[in-house]
Amino acid sequence: MNIARQLWRHPLRTVRRYYRRCRYDYASAPCVPETLNTAVLFVPKRIGDGMAVFPVIRALQARDVPRIVIVASVYNEIVFRWLNDPRVEVVTLADGESPRLAREVARDLVSRHGSTDLCVEGTMRDSAAASRFVGTLRARCNLQLAGPVLRCYAPLAGGARSLHEQGGARPHCWAALMREAGIADVPGGYEFPLAADDERRVRRSVEALGPYVALNLDGSHPARQLSVSQGQCLCELLWQVHGLPVLMVFGPDGEKKARQLAAATPVARILPMAVSLPHSAAIVKHAALVITPDTAVLHMASAWNRPTLGLFARPQRRWRPLAEHSAMIVTGQHLADLDMDEVAKALTVLPRHGQAEDERDATPHH
């Protein structure tokens, strides 16, 4: 679309976009420098986005970059908290949509660390915050997967971007970009490092329960949420097909619904511990089966190769489950339309208790 048509259709948006290009764009290296002393990953987004960019982190670690700075959000900072690598610094951006805060963080990094050799922009959007961050940081080279809206991004146009445009899974796309950029060849998978204490507490709590199914009812959008009555039907099906108890996984907003379900059916349980994202992740890590709408819990199951039934309101390829044994059900518009007969059919093809036990200590599937 040429500029005249853009101005006609979206005048204010077009003016802002071209202002950003004039104000923050600059000439940078067309390829990744041979020597990388400081690399910055800009990903102030949600939990799933944070888990998906781990191929970038692992590639930078494999390249032995001495300083790796991750600019995260208040939502996904916890994903990077337990990397346990002295080379990694995590900076939290209070509002990932704020251009002013993004610019301040970039200025602070420049004042503390000097010049940056590589910046990987991981928001996947043409946003004012990302443009100001990149344009203020002024790294020697910049990488972006979604397509170069600024000329300061390295002009990579090979397999990684093609994979992204075709709906490839996000971790696969990031791993492909790291290979294409010549940084390192690493697997493409989700990750969520856990603190040993968090995992130990959960394992002690579930020990008496035996094998269990981790069930999450809520997604980030109303169309991705299941009702308590649907949860009851799922629990009955799970008991009939797999004969396993159900352990609820939920965040603070979903606690009331989870407790209602646990009170309505003896199959569903809630662990007697504080609600926290690491605890939920540990429950997923040690489950025999995970059932969840399209949300971060789905990617946790992929991170640890847990058998997964993903429930989607609409077709989705980029965020599909990556576990070796997984199934997807797409309702079309809203999970209120979920067909329990279809769920029952999907459950019969997922691993039963014995198979899940054999895979419990498997390495993550990429």
Side-chain angles (χ1 to χ4, degrees):
M1 186 186 298
N2 59 39
I3 186 171
R5 188 176 299 177
Q6 290 175 344
L7 283 168
W8 174 258
R9 292 189 177 184
H10 308 288
L12 187 57
R13 183 194 309 173
T14 301
V15 169
R16 287 175 175 172
R17 180 179 297 147
Y18 277 87
Y19 167 76
R20 292 202 305 269
R21 292 180 182 179
C22 294
R23 176 67 176 82
Y24 295 104
D25 208 354
Y26 66 99
S28 64
C31 57
V32 175
E34 184 66 28
T35 300
L36 293 177
N37 293 312
T38 300
V40 175
L41 170 59
F42 184 74
V43 57
K45 295 194 71 180
R46 297 285 179 171
I47 298 295
D49 300 278
M51 295 177 66
V53 297
F54 264 81
V56 176
I57 300 168
R58 299 309 183 193
L60 294 171
Q61 290 172 320
R63 183 71 176 264
D64 291 326
V65 178
R67 181 182 293 117
I68 304 168
V69 181
I70 303 171
V71 181
S73 69
V74 293
Y75 303 103
N76 68 16
E77 174 272 335
I78 197 169
V79 173
F80 311 109
R81 188 179 298 174
W82 295 102
L83 272 164
N84 292 326
D85 185 339
R87 296 172 295 178
V88 176
E89 173 189 354
V90 180
V91 177
T92 303
L93 186 59
D95 181 359
E97 298 296 324
S98 170
R100 178 182 61 82
L101 292 179
R103 183 174 55 195
E104 289 177 1
V105 169
R107 285 174 173 171
D108 176 67
L109 292 178
V110 171
S111 67
R112 290 192 293 115
H113 300 314
S115 62
T116 295
D117 298 301
L118 174 67
C119 175
V120 180
E121 198 280 284
T123 68
M124 312 292 290
R125 295 177 56 194
D126 177 18
S127 71
S131 296
R132 288 200 187 186
F133 180 85
V134 172
T136 303
L137 188 68
R138 296 182 74 86
R140 291 172 62 194
C141 178
N142 299 283
L143 295 177
Q144 185 190 55
L145 187 61
V149 295
L150 301 177
R151 62 187 173 93
C152 64
Y153 291 111
L156 300 178
R161 190 161 298 147
S162 176
L163 182 62
H164 166 70
E165 291 171 353
Q166 294 169 14
R170 283 284 168 80
H172 295 171
C173 295
W174 285 120
L177 183 64
M178 294 299 98
R179 287 192 297 271
E180 186 179 340
I183 297 174
D185 188 352
V186 295
Y190 293 100
E191 292 190 46
F192 191 145
L194 290 172
D197 287 344
D198 288 326
E199 187 169 1
R200 195 177 300 117
R201 278 192 291 269
V202 169
R203 296 210 69 168
R204 283 200 300 261
S205 297
V206 302
E207 189 174 7
L209 192 60
Y212 61 87
V213 177
L215 173 63
N216 170 48
L217 298 179
D218 292 321
S220 58
H221 188 277
R224 303 174 187 172
Q225 297 179 1
L226 298 168
S227 66
V228 174
S229 61
Q230 287 177 304
Q232 286 182 268
C233 291
L234 283 170
C235 288
E236 292 172 4
L237 279 173
L238 287 164
W239 187 256
Q240 291 170 9
V241 177
H242 289 283
L244 296 179
V246 173
L247 199 53
M248 301 304 299
V249 179
F250 52 88
D253 293 341
E255 183 173 4
K256 180 179 179 180
K257 188 190 293 186
R259 294 194 178 279
Q260 288 176 339
L261 179 57
T265 173
V267 177
R269 318 285 180 84
I270 293 177
L271 288 187
M273 59 174 51
V275 179
S276 76
L277 194 62
H279 287 160
S280 294
I283 290 172
V284 170
K285 180 177 180 179
H286 297 286
L289 173 66
V290 180
I291 300 180
T292 176
D294 174 21
T295 190
V297 173
L298 186 79
H299 314 315
M300 294 175 189
S302 295
W304 291 294
N305 199 21
R306 295 294 81 210
T308 308
L309 175 57
L311 307 176
F312 291 76
R314 295 183 179 180
Q316 177 61 265
R317 294 184 59 194
R318 289 193 174 99
W319 299 107
R320 66 184 184 274
L322 300 183
E324 181 180 358
H325 298 290
S326 60
M328 292 174 56
I329 294 176
V330 181
T331 62
Q333 292 294 328
H334 200 293
L335 287 185
D337 301 323
L338 184 65
D339 185 341
M340 290 299 164
D341 289 336
E342 194 173 354
V343 173
K345 188 181 300 183
L347 289 176
T348 61
V349 301
L350 288 168
R352 294 177 181 272
H353 165 42
Q355 294 169 294
E357 281 293 300
D358 292 341
E359 296 171 355
R360 184 171 297 278
D361 297 320
T363 55
H365 178 68
H366 303 304

